[in-house]
Amino acid sequence: MNNNTSKANAKAAMDAFKYEVASEIGVPLKKGYNGDLTSAQNGSVGGYMVKKMIEAQERQMAGNIQ
């Protein structure tokens, strides 16, 4: 697997994660233009993504891989 393939796979995974998080917190994020969303809505998606990634890393470091 070359570096471009790895980058494309990582981007696809992060995009899927972003839409999953948006759905969980009730933000109507859609593919394409999202200029109708507030900065608070967009920020909440990013903030919650970071929170979930930190929680996952903490579980992994504690030996509770899920």
Side-chain angles (χ1 to χ4, degrees):
M1 183 180 329
N2 66 33
N3 196 32
N4 289 334
T5 302
S6 295
K7 286 180 184 179
N9 290 341
K11 180 171 176 16
M14 286 301 287
D15 281 346
F17 183 48
K18 175 175 60 177
Y19 292 110
E20 174 187 329
V21 165
S23 176
E24 283 181 21
I25 61 175
V27 174
L29 191 66
K30 57 192 174 297
K31 295 194 188 296
Y33 179 76
N34 283 288
D36 53 330
L37 300 178
T38 67
S39 57
Q41 287 174 306
N42 285 311
S44 66
V45 173
Y48 198 68
M49 286 174 69
V50 171
K51 179 182 177 189
K52 287 185 75 158
M53 287 186 279
I54 290 170
E55 288 171 350
Q57 183 62 34
E58 287 174 342
R59 281 192 307 272
Q60 183 177 10
M61 290 172 64
N64 301 324
I65 301 172
Q66 294 180 1

